[in-house]
Amino acid sequence: MTTLPSRRTRVHATWSAVFGVVPDKGLHRRPTEVLRILGGLALLALGALNATRVGPLEQSVHDAVGHLPDPLLTGLRWINTTGAVIAIAIVLIVALISRRPRFIASVVLAGAAALVVGRVLDSLIGAPTDGGHPLPGYPPFPSLRLAVVAAVFFAATPELTRPARRLLTLLLGVIGVSLIAVTGGYPTGILGAIGLAWTLAAIVHLVLGSPDGAPSTAAVAEDLRSLGIDTNDLRAAEDQLWGETAFIGTDADGPIRVAVIGRDATNAQFLTKLVRFIWMKDSGPGIAATREQQIEHRAYLLMRAERGGVPAPTVIDSGAVGSRGDVVLVLRDTNGVRLDDTDEGARTDAFLDAAWRSLERLHRVGIAHGSISARTLRLAQDGTVAFTDLATADARPSPDALRLDHVALLVTLADLTSAERAVASARRALDTDALIAVQPLLEATALPRVTRRSITDAKHLTAEVGQQVASVTGVTPEKLTELRRVTPANILLAAATVLGFYLLLGQLTKIDFATTFDQAEWGWVVVVAILAQLPLFGTAMALLGAVSRPLPLRPVFILQFANKFTGLVGGGVATMAMLVRFFQKQGFSPAVAVSSSLMTSFASGIVQFVLVGLGLLLGDATIHLSHSGGGSSGLTEKLAIALAAVLLVAIVLALIPRFRHRLLGLIGPHLVAARTNFTTVVSEPRKAVQLFAGNFISQFCYALVLWAALHTYGESLGILQLIVINSIASIIGGIAPVPGGMGVIEAGLIAGFTAAGVPDQAAIAATFTARTFTAYLPPAWGWLAMEWMHRNDYI
C-alpha cells in the first residue's frame, strides 16, 4: 500500500463552498421522507393533545425563559421579529440566485402551506374565542411564525451545503426560544409548529424531489489534485454503492477507483444511514457515525485483505480533502472483466476453482464479503478472480455470515454456468460438512440483497442448487412447514366468534353502546389508531433478538401484521406455522425457528409478570376488585372462575401419566432447542436487549393505546396501572382457547378498568375503541401483508 500524506496541499474553502448550494446532479424521492412525515405527524399530534392547557412543566419552562436578563430578551425579541423575516428573505434570495425553479417552488410552497394549514389548525385546536378574540391563558397552537420559518428552512436544507444547514438549524432553535420569551409561546405550540413544518417540507420533497448533494466530477478531480493525484478520463462509475458516489479513471500508474462521500450528500446523514441499515440490512454489517469512520473502516479492511494475499483493490490514499471537505478513498483498481461480462468460453472449471480460492483467502484473514455477485467479482488476465471492493465486508463475521458468502458464491457461479458445475466446484473447495451447513441457507430470501438482485430467477435457481447439493451430500434438506390456505369457513368462524363475544358482553353489561360512543372525542380516536400500530415495532424488535443472525426489519415488521390475520382465523397454530416457515426461508432450521418463536413468547411472559409485579409493588397500579358497577363485578367473578377452571383442568391432565408422557414427547425436543437457542442469544448482550426491550416496548405501547382510548371518553389512568391491566388481560387471553383471545381480553380489560375506578360505560367504550385498532381491523391489512410476504417469497 502507498500512502501519500506529504502530497496533500491545503485548499482554502470559499464562501460559496461553505454557504452555497449543492450540485444539482439529479433528483431523488427518498423513502425516508415518508418516515419524516410520520415523525412530523407524531410531533404535531403530541403537541395537539395538550394544546388547550398549560402543564406545570411547560409553565416552568416558559417562566424560566421569561426571566432572562433584559438585554438577552431584547435580542430574542429582535430575532423573533426582524431576524426571522431576514432569515426567510436570505433563503429566498439564495433560491432565486441559484436559478433552480424546483428550489424556489419548494420554499414558496412549504411556507405558504405552513401558513394556511397553521391557521386552520389554530381555528380547530387553538384557544377558544369570545366574540372572535382568543380567551386569555391559552397558548397558541401551533406557533404560526415558527411553523412558516421552519417549513421554509426544512424545504431548503437539501439544496444547501452542510454548514448552511447547520446554521439554519441553530437559527431555528434560537427562534423557538425567542417565541417562548417574547410572544407567549409554550413548548406544545413550538412542538406542533416543528412537526407541521417537518411534515409539509417532506411532502414537498416527495412531490418535487430533492438533490442528493453528491459532488460533481470536477469537484472530485479538484479533491484528487489536493492529494497530488492527476487523473485522466475521470467519470462516474457504472456500478454505484448506496450512500456514496464512485468514479473511475486513470493516473500515471494505471486505473484508479475513487469512492467519495460528499460533505453535502443527504445519503451520508447518520439518520438516513441508520434507517436504511435497520430496515434493509444492505448498508454493511455496521453503521458508522461519520463519513470519516466509514471510509477509514473500509480502508482498514482492504489493507488487511492485502496483507493476506486477497486479490482486491489496494489503498492509495484516503481522508477529508479539498475545499468542500469531501471524504475520499482512492484505490488502485483491479484489472480484469466483471464476471457477468465474461463469455462462456472463459467460464472453465479453473475459473470456478479460482473464485473459491479467492473467497477462502478472504475468510482466512477473518473477513466476510457480504455482497458477492457477478458484479462484485472480476476475472483477471492471469486467471485470478478478484474482488472489486470490500464496501460491505465484515471484519468480525459470525459463522452464518461466512456460510452466506459460500451460498452467494455458489448461487452466483450456478447462474453463470450451471447448478451441476457450481456444486461440483464447491465440492472440490469445501468439505461435506461445509456443504451440508449451507443447505438451510439455500433460499432466495436468505441471499444477500445484491446477490438476489443480480440473478434472474433466484427462487428457481436456489431450489435447483439445493437439489444438486442434496444429491452430492446425500442429505435431504428439511421440508418447509406447510401453510394451509384459509377457507371461507375459517373466516366465517372467526366472524361468528367476534359477533358472539360482542353480543355476550352487551348482554352482560346492559350498556347502550350508541349513547356511549356518541360522547367520544374523535381527535383522540385518531391518536388511538396511530398508537395502535406502535406495539408491532416492539414485537418485531423482540423477534430480531430471538435469532443469532441479523435480519432486515422490513419483512419482520410486515410479518407482525400478517400474524394478526393468521392469529384471528387460525389461532396460535397458524401463527406458529407461518413464523416457522418465515425463519426457514431465512435459512434457519425448523428447530431454531420453533425455539425462537417460543423464546419470544417466553420473554414476553417474563416481561409481563415483571411489569405486573412492579406495578403492584410500587402501588400506583392499585386495583380495587371490590369496586362495584353495573356488571363489572360479575365479569370479574366470571373471569376468576374461568381462570380457576383452566388451571384445574391443566393440573388434572398433568397428573395423568399417559397424557404427561405424550405431551413431553411432543414438546421435549422443542424445549431443548429453545433452551440452547436461548443460551446462545442471551450470551450476546445486544440480542438479549433486543429480545426483552422489544417486549417491553410492545407492552408500553399497548398501555399508551389504552391511555389514549380512555382519554377519548374523558377518563384517565396511570401508565403503570394500564400496563398491569393490559398484562393481566393478555395473560388470561393467551390461556383461553380462542383465536386472538377474542372476547376474553375484552372482558379482562373492562374488568380491570372498572376495578380501577373507571365508570362502566367509559370502560366498555374505551376497551372496544382500543381493540378496534389492535384486534378487529388489523386482520384486514394483515391479509394484505401476508399476500406481500407470499409474493416476495418470505413465506
Side-chain angles (χ1 to χ4, degrees):
M1 184 196 76
T2 305
T3 305
L4 306 171
S6 60
R7 294 166 60 189
R8 295 176 184 264
T9 58
R10 178 69 175 173
V11 180
H12 296 283
T14 62
W15 279 103
S16 61
V18 176
F19 297 106
V21 294
V22 300
D24 193 12
K25 292 183 60 180
L27 296 181
H28 293 272
R29 291 176 175 84
R30 302 174 181 83
T32 50
E33 299 294 353
V34 177
L35 296 179
R36 290 187 174 92
I37 292 173
L38 295 177
L41 290 175
L43 290 177
L44 186 61
L46 191 60
L49 292 179
N50 299 302
T52 57
R53 57 179 180 270
V54 179
L57 179 61
E58 282 191 290
Q59 190 62 54
S60 62
V61 171
H62 183 272
D63 294 341
V65 176
H67 286 86
L68 292 174
D70 288 340
L72 190 56
L73 286 176
T74 302
L76 290 175
R77 187 176 295 111
W78 182 86
I79 292 174
N80 181 254
T81 53
T82 309
V85 174
I86 292 176
I88 293 178
I90 291 176
V91 172
L92 289 173
I93 291 172
V94 172
L96 292 171
I97 293 176
S98 69
R99 297 181 180 179
R100 297 180 183 176
R102 181 198 62 256
F103 186 6
I104 300 171
S106 298
V107 171
V108 173
L109 282 176
L115 181 63
V116 173
V117 178
R119 289 193 178 278
V120 172
L121 288 176
D122 184 51
S123 63
L124 296 175
I125 305 175
T129 59
D130 182 13
H133 300 285
L135 294 177
Y138 289 91
F141 182 86
S143 298
L144 195 57
R145 184 176 300 168
L146 179 62
V148 175
V149 173
V152 170
F153 284 6
F154 290 150
T157 48
E159 306 278 352
L160 302 175
T161 58
R162 181 168 292 191
R165 298 175 197 165
R166 291 174 177 172
L167 179 62
L168 291 185
T169 302
L170 176 63
L171 185 57
L172 195 60
V174 174
I175 293 175
V177 174
S178 71
L179 281 171
I180 299 178
V182 177
T183 63
Y186 285 84
T188 51
I190 294 174
L191 197 65
I194 296 296
L196 175 62
W198 208 11
T199 300
L200 294 175
I203 292 174
V204 169
H205 292 155
L206 277 179
V207 174
L208 300 181
S210 57
D212 57 11
S216 63
T217 303
V220 174
E222 180 185 347
D223 291 339
L224 295 178
R225 281 194 294 272
S226 70
L227 295 175
I229 302 174
D230 292 322
T231 59
N232 299 315
D233 192 27
L234 189 67
R235 62 193 183 279
E238 181 181 350
D239 295 327
Q240 296 289 337
L241 186 68
W242 183 90
E244 65 182 41
T245 307
F247 295 85
I248 57 175
T250 58
D251 66 354
D253 298 323
I256 64 170
R257 183 180 181 88
V258 186
V260 186
I261 304 180
R263 178 199 61 186
D264 307 312
T266 51
N267 285 341
Q269 294 178 9
F270 178 74
L271 178 61
T272 304
K273 291 188 293 185
L274 179 63
V275 169
R276 191 174 179 94
F277 170 74
I278 295 174
W279 192 249
M280 307 291 292
K281 283 291 178 190
D282 71 341
S283 57
I287 184 72
T290 65
R291 298 172 297 140
E292 289 82 0
Q293 290 177 0
Q294 185 174 337
I295 288 296
E296 288 169 2
H297 178 71
R298 187 150 147 211
Y300 159 73
L301 290 174
L302 287 166
M303 290 186 291
R304 186 167 154 184
E306 182 184 4
R307 285 198 299 268
V310 178
T314 56
V315 178
I316 298 177
D317 208 342
S318 66
V321 295
S323 62
R324 305 176 65 87
D326 297 329
V327 179
V328 302
L329 175 63
V330 187
L331 305 174
R332 177 66 59 203
D333 209 358
T334 53
N335 287 307
V337 183
R338 267 184 359 194
L339 295 195
D340 57 347
D341 291 332
T342 58
D343 54 44
E344 292 187 6
R347 300 170 187 175
T348 63
D349 287 347
F351 153 77
L352 300 178
D353 294 339
W356 285 107
R357 281 196 300 272
S358 297
L359 182 60
E360 177 58 29
R361 289 180 184 176
L362 187 67
H363 286 180
R364 196 180 302 148
V365 297
I367 299 176
H369 189 278
S371 59
I372 292 177
S373 73
R375 304 176 71 88
T376 58
L377 295 171
R378 283 183 180 172
L379 178 61
Q381 293 180 352
D382 60 359
T384 303
V385 175
F387 300 102
T388 58
D389 206 342
L390 298 178
T392 58
D394 188 355
R396 294 183 298 174
S398 65
D400 274 343
L402 300 177
R403 294 188 193 105
L404 276 174
D405 273 357
H406 289 155
V407 172
L409 181 58
L410 177 58
V411 174
T412 297
L413 295 180
D415 187 49
L416 292 172
T417 57
S418 67
E420 184 178 0
R421 289 186 60 195
V423 172
S425 69
R427 185 72 180 87
R428 295 191 294 271
L430 307 174
D431 55 29
T432 303
D433 290 338
L435 270 178
I436 294 174
V438 305
Q439 282 184 283
L441 295 170
L442 282 168
E443 294 287 343
T445 51
L447 295 175
R449 192 163 179 257
V450 173
T451 309
R452 190 168 62 248
R453 288 192 165 191
S454 65
I455 298 171
T456 305
D457 189 354
K459 183 178 180 180
H460 178 267
L461 184 60
T462 51
E464 186 180 357
V465 172
Q467 292 174 359
Q468 288 293 328
V469 173
S471 66
V472 170
T473 61
V475 177
T476 303
E478 298 180 79
K479 186 179 179 182
L480 290 174
T481 300
E482 183 180 359
L483 287 182
R484 297 184 182 275
R485 289 289 182 179
V486 178
T487 64
N490 298 134
I491 300 176
L492 290 175
L493 177 62
T497 303
V498 175
L499 179 60
F501 278 108
Y502 173 83
L503 296 176
L504 174 62
L505 289 175
Q507 211 44 35
L508 288 172
T509 54
K510 306 295 184 183
I511 296 297
D512 186 354
F513 283 90
T515 304
T516 303
F517 287 115
D518 281 344
Q519 300 173 1
E521 294 185 20
W522 293 103
W524 278 101
V525 174
V526 175
V527 175
V528 173
I530 295 173
L531 293 177
Q533 314 312 314
L534 298 183
L536 300 181
F537 278 104
T539 55
M541 178 179 174
L543 199 59
L544 290 174
V547 291
S548 57
R549 180 155 50 85
L551 295 175
L553 177 61
R554 178 175 62 170
V556 177
F557 176 60
I558 296 174
L559 178 66
Q560 308 312 306
F561 284 98
N563 285 342
K564 293 289 186 179
F565 177 73
T566 56
L568 176 65
V569 299
V573 175
T575 299
M576 175 66 75
M578 187 161 66
L579 284 173
V580 171
R581 188 177 178 93
F582 172 77
F583 278 127
Q584 286 181 282
K585 284 288 189 176
Q586 295 297 319
F588 293 98
S589 67
V592 172
V594 172
S595 64
S596 298
S597 179
L598 292 175
M599 183 163 43
T600 304
S601 301
F602 178 66
S604 176
I606 291 177
V607 170
Q608 287 179 339
F609 277 109
V610 169
L611 290 175
V612 170
L614 286 176
L616 296 177
L617 285 175
L618 294 177
D620 182 56
T622 302
I623 297 175
H624 305 285
L625 295 178
S626 61
H627 176 80
S628 60
S632 63
S633 59
L635 277 173
T636 305
E637 293 172 3
K638 288 180 173 60
L639 285 172
I641 293 172
L643 181 59
V646 171
L647 292 175
L648 180 61
V649 171
I651 293 172
V652 170
L653 291 176
L655 293 176
I656 301 174
R658 182 178 177 182
F659 178 82
R660 184 173 65 250
H661 292 319
R662 185 175 181 183
L663 181 64
L664 290 176
L666 289 173
I667 68 173
H670 295 310
L671 291 177
V672 173
R675 182 178 61 185
T676 303
N677 197 25
F678 183 80
T679 303
T680 303
V681 169
V682 173
S683 63
E684 187 177 349
R686 182 172 62 89
K687 288 292 183 180
V689 169
Q690 279 184 314
L691 180 62
F692 289 99
N695 281 298
F696 171 77
I697 291 172
S698 178
Q699 294 301 316
F700 181 78
C701 290
Y702 275 123
L704 286 180
V705 174
L706 299 179
W707 171 79
L710 286 173
H711 274 276
T712 304
Y713 302 97
E715 300 294 334
S716 179
L717 289 176
I719 290 295
L720 201 52
Q721 284 179 294
L722 294 171
I723 289 177
V724 171
I725 293 171
N726 180 70
S727 298
I728 294 176
S730 299
I731 292 171
I732 297 173
I735 295 173
V738 179
M742 198 70 68
V744 180
I745 292 179
E746 285 84 345
L749 291 175
I750 293 171
F753 287 156
T754 55
V758 177
D760 291 337
Q761 289 193 2
I764 295 168
T767 296
F768 278 95
T769 300
R771 291 285 287 171
T772 295
F773 296 104
T774 58
Y776 306 154
L777 292 180
W781 45 81
W783 178 80
L784 297 176
M786 191 173 73
E787 288 300 311
W788 183 89
M789 302 282 286
H790 269 298
R791 283 198 310 272
N792 291 275
D793 199 33
Y794 283 110
I795 57 176

